[in-house]
Every structure is written in structure tokens, then in C-alpha cells.
Amino acid sequence: MSEYQLTREIIALSFAQTWTEAKLEWEIAEVYRAGQPDACLCGHFPIIEVCVLVNKATRHEAKVGNCCAKKFLGLRPDDILRALERVKRNPKKSLNAEAIAYAFKMGWITEWERRFYFDIEGMRGLTDGQISKRTEINKNLVKKIRAHEYASGRRESGKVRARGAR
């Protein structure tokens, strides 16, 4: 269980042969909370917040914990999970930039909704119309997440599990 094991495994699945170049080939394909403890590519067990990464050059996949995704690859999957769960619990809440981009990538929000969200991001004192529109977008987003969870067999006791198209 070490950063060196993660480095070796990621390089072995990459086109590049150096860590600096190899880590740039990877992106998040899926983030979810595991129903059962899982193991990270680095060897750490257990992990609950799982990130499935895909290599843009080789199309290989790797399963890592959110700590390795953040610390070594510079990705922020926990921000996405927390924002999606927050909106699932309360559709009046707001998504963060990472979750907005992820929801758009997944096809859960439209280009217009993505732009709207970025336009109001960080604004204080939204109008009633803006709050209403954000809530409407979030309710539709939650429906799409639940439909996706059901269709992919990833439905778990109210937790968000989102799977990206490959």
C-alpha cells in the first residue's frame, strides 16, 4: 500500500512511461460510494468513495480511492459526490463547478442549464425566479441520477452512484 505501487500501476496502464506524463492521460469516468468496502489500485483497503478512471490514450480503466485521485492525480471526485448528495437531499441547494461539469458530461443537464448554473454560481441573493429555476433543474437532475442508478444496477440505499459513459 503505497504511492509507489499506485505510480507503477498507473504507468503500466498508460501510454506515457513517466509519472508526470502518465497522470495527465487519466480522467474520471465514474464516481460512487461503494456498498461494500473495495480496494484502491495502491493497495489500500477499505475504500468507500470509489473513482473509476479511464485513460484517454489507452482506454484502460483503474479503480482508486478518492484520496489517491486527489493526492496523486489532482482530481476532485469527493467534491462531485458531496454536491450530488446535497442536491439529492435538498433540491434547493446548489451544485459546485465540478458537479456541474460532471452532470453535463453525463448528459444529466443541458448546455443551457450548465450555463445558467455557472452564471449564478457564487451569487448571493438570487431572485425567486433564479431559485425556482435552479430547484427545477436539480429535481430533474435527481430523477436522471435515479434512473441511471436503476438502469445500471447501481442503486444503493439512497446514496449517489453515478456512472459515466465510456
Side-chain angles (χ1 to χ4, degrees):
M1 159 173 39
S2 76
E3 64 189 83
Y4 303 110
Q5 181 176 336
L6 178 70
T7 302
R8 280 193 314 272
E9 298 290 339
I10 290 292
I11 291 172
L13 295 169
S14 300
F15 179 76
Q17 295 304 301
T18 66
W19 174 247
T20 304
E21 291 177 304
K23 67 182 184 177
L24 298 175
E25 295 178 6
W26 294 86
E27 66 183 1
I28 296 174
E30 177 181 1
V31 293
Y32 62 91
R33 289 192 185 274
Q36 300 289 329
D38 211 334
C40 180
L41 193 61
C42 77
H44 178 80
F45 180 88
I47 59 171
I48 300 300
E49 292 181 347
V50 180
C51 305
V52 178
L53 308 176
V54 66
N55 184 294
K56 296 177 278 191
T58 65
R59 304 309 296 166
H60 286 119
E61 291 185 356
K63 194 180 338 180
V64 300
N66 72 358
C67 290
C68 283
K70 280 192 306 193
K71 186 174 180 182
F72 300 109
L73 298 171
L75 304 172
R76 307 282 311 180
D78 55 337
D79 292 345
I80 296 168
L81 281 169
R82 284 181 182 77
L84 293 175
E85 287 180 11
R86 182 176 56 246
V87 166
K88 247 181 132 173
R89 284 189 308 271
N90 183 351
K92 291 184 178 185
K93 297 289 185 177
S94 185
L95 294 173
N96 58 31
E98 292 84 2
I100 295 165
Y102 186 71
F104 180 70
K105 174 184 167 188
M106 297 295 292
W108 295 337
I109 62 173
T110 66
E111 173 64 23
W112 187 91
E113 292 166 332
R114 184 187 72 80
R115 275 183 286 142
F116 172 80
Y117 238 115
F118 281 126
D119 287 346
I120 65 167
E121 184 184 31
M123 286 178 62
R124 295 185 186 267
L126 297 177
T127 68
D128 289 343
Q130 290 168 323
I131 293 169
S132 177
K133 180 50 85 176
R134 180 178 68 193
T135 302
E136 177 187 329
I137 292 168
N138 289 346
K139 285 179 179 179
N140 288 332
L141 171 66
V142 169
K143 286 179 190 173
K144 290 175 184 175
I145 290 170
R146 288 190 174 134
H148 179 76
E149 290 170 345
Y150 181 77
S152 64
R154 295 198 175 272
R155 185 106 172 132
E156 289 185 56
S157 63
K159 297 287 185 184
V160 170
R161 279 183 82 151
R163 181 168 176 81
R166 293 191 212 345

